[in-house]
Amino acid sequence: MSPGGRFCEDVAESRMAFADSDVATSTGDVRTSPFRKAAPGLLGIPGMPSNHNVHDLLECPVCMNLMCPPIHQCPNGHTLCSSCKVRVHNCCPTCRNELGNIRCLALEKVAESLDLPCRYQIYGCQDIFPYYSKLKHEKICKYRPYNCPYAGADCSVTGDIQLLMMHLKNDHKVDMHDGCTFNHRYVKSNPQEVDNATWMLTIFNCFGRQFCLHFEAFHIGTAPVYMAFLRFMGDDDEAKQFTYSLEVSGSGRKLIWQGIPRSIRDSHRKVRDSQDGLIIPRNLALFFSGGNRQELKLKVAGRIWKEH
């Protein structure tokens, strides 16, 4: 049989496998379902709740997310999303058969006909979208989880702000303080070891919101520097409601920075590499430290206020 003939046979099998599944219910059930539309011609099991059946059919068995076209299936009719097809190395996670390139066209048609809730509904988003609009929305949904702002390790934890606060306190042992003004001392016995990328993170509760104060050592080109900057635990539009200042002084010298905190939607590295903060060259930092310049002793004062 020609390759084209085989593809048609695969599609026919796909449609048959889908038609044999428990897809939907009576018309009345469809009207009350959160999935407001249903593909015509696929209703035929009176009394069964269509919303659960359609949701189950579109749920990828690997990542548990709703599948979007292209939707793949194995010769036995087991489906999964295109992202997971790569992750399982073209092997069906249900029956272990080779997946090949069979598309479940019938299920793709159903997916395209539905209005679906945002995947971040559990975090508070109550919006419902046509299928492809849903995918675009989820990339910018304000309820999507945040990445852990801890910079000292590659931490994969994500969640809402409350979960991340508990995670930072319990798992990363981050210091947390209340108040909108602060004074912190940073001491390092050997300031020449900038290559160690010394960093610190402190959380401040201020105006009922949380802010991350970062301090670290790194290089700009070949020049060793120290940098302090603030990130806001929330979205960028909220971060712009606040302003902060940082000041380092000592030995008759003073350096002041004022700016807007960056949202933790921007990674720690992105903010650092953009140099959006108080940058102190190492030689100047040693002047601030006083003494014999063999030990770093920096005192960083700061204030956070809300713009009206």
Side-chain angles (χ1 to χ4, degrees):
M1 181 179 293
S2 68
R6 177 57 189 162
F7 178 78
C8 291
E9 182 180 335
D10 291 336
V11 171
E13 291 175 359
S14 167
R15 293 181 183 275
M16 291 173 63
F18 180 75
D20 288 339
S21 301
D22 294 335
V23 178
T25 77
S26 66
T27 306
D29 289 328
V30 173
R31 282 197 296 266
T32 59
S33 167
F35 311 114
R36 293 195 297 246
K37 301 182 202 171
L42 292 174
L43 305 179
I45 308 178
M48 294 290 286
S50 63
N51 54 338
H52 294 298
N53 288 328
V54 175
H55 186 281
D56 289 346
L57 284 168
L58 287 174
E59 187 178 84
C60 174
V62 179
C63 65
M64 310 305 290
N65 293 324
L66 293 180
M67 296 182 288
C68 62
I71 298 174
H72 298 275
Q73 72 170 29
C74 76
N76 291 326
H78 304 122
T79 57
L80 78 166
C81 70
S82 57
S83 298
C84 290
K85 181 175 183 288
V86 177
R87 292 169 57 190
V88 300
H89 306 291
N90 207 39
C91 177
C92 175
T94 304
C95 67
R96 304 303 178 187
N97 278 329
E98 184 177 352
L99 286 167
N101 292 306
I102 308 172
R103 293 269 294 275
C104 187
L105 301 183
L107 197 53
E108 290 181 8
K109 290 290 185 182
V110 173
E112 292 169 356
S113 72
L114 297 176
D115 282 3
L116 298 169
C118 173
R119 68 183 294 186
Y120 303 122
Q121 188 179 56
I122 59 173
Y123 293 108
C125 184
Q126 300 301 315
D127 293 332
I128 295 177
F129 301 89
Y131 199 82
Y132 288 106
S133 298
K134 168 185 178 295
L135 301 177
K136 293 179 182 178
H137 159 80
E138 288 172 350
K139 293 179 180 180
I140 58 172
C141 177
K142 68 178 182 179
Y143 292 99
R144 70 192 189 277
Y146 297 92
N147 294 323
C148 173
Y150 189 77
D154 293 328
C155 182
S156 61
V157 171
T158 62
D160 59 18
I161 300 302
Q162 183 178 3
L163 183 148
L164 289 182
M165 286 292 291
M166 294 176 58
H167 164 67
L168 289 167
K169 180 179 180 180
N170 297 330
D171 298 329
H172 293 304
K173 311 302 181 186
V174 171
D175 289 335
M176 299 192 178
H177 302 274
D178 294 325
C180 298
T181 60
F182 49 88
N183 286 277
H184 273 259
R185 290 180 63 86
Y186 299 99
V187 179
K188 186 171 177 60
S189 58
N190 186 358
Q192 308 303 317
E193 296 178 354
V194 176
D195 287 334
N196 289 344
T198 303
W199 59 267
M200 294 184 69
L201 172 63
T202 307
I203 302 294
F204 292 95
N205 295 300
C206 177
F207 296 106
R209 306 307 299 266
Q210 291 73 42
F211 299 82
C212 302
L213 175 64
H214 296 270
F215 180 85
E216 68 175 276
F218 65 108
H219 285 88
I220 296 178
T222 59
V225 299
Y226 298 94
M227 182 175 177
F229 58 92
L230 205 68
R231 285 200 294 165
F232 173 72
M233 295 188 70
D235 281 342
D236 187 61
D237 57 343
E238 295 178 287
K240 291 176 180 177
Q241 300 174 18
F242 299 93
T243 304
Y244 75 101
S245 65
L246 296 173
E247 176 184 309
V248 60
S249 60
S251 301
R253 298 166 177 83
K254 181 182 291 187
L255 193 61
I256 300 174
W257 162 267
Q258 179 174 312
I260 297 171
R262 296 282 286 272
S263 165
I264 59 171
R265 296 286 187 201
D266 290 335
S267 71
H268 162 269
R269 180 177 294 276
K270 180 178 180 179
V271 179
R272 188 198 72 180
D273 291 349
S274 69
Q275 302 176 32
D276 190 5
L278 175 66
I279 297 177
I280 313 163
R282 183 170 66 191
N283 286 338
L284 185 57
L286 293 175
F287 275 119
F288 287 138
S289 300
N292 58 10
R293 294 166 56 89
Q294 299 302 309
E295 185 177 39
L296 179 73
K297 293 181 179 179
L298 282 181
K299 177 183 172 183
V300 178
R303 181 169 73 94
I304 305 167
W305 66 94
K306 192 169 185 178
E307 298 290 352
H308 297 290

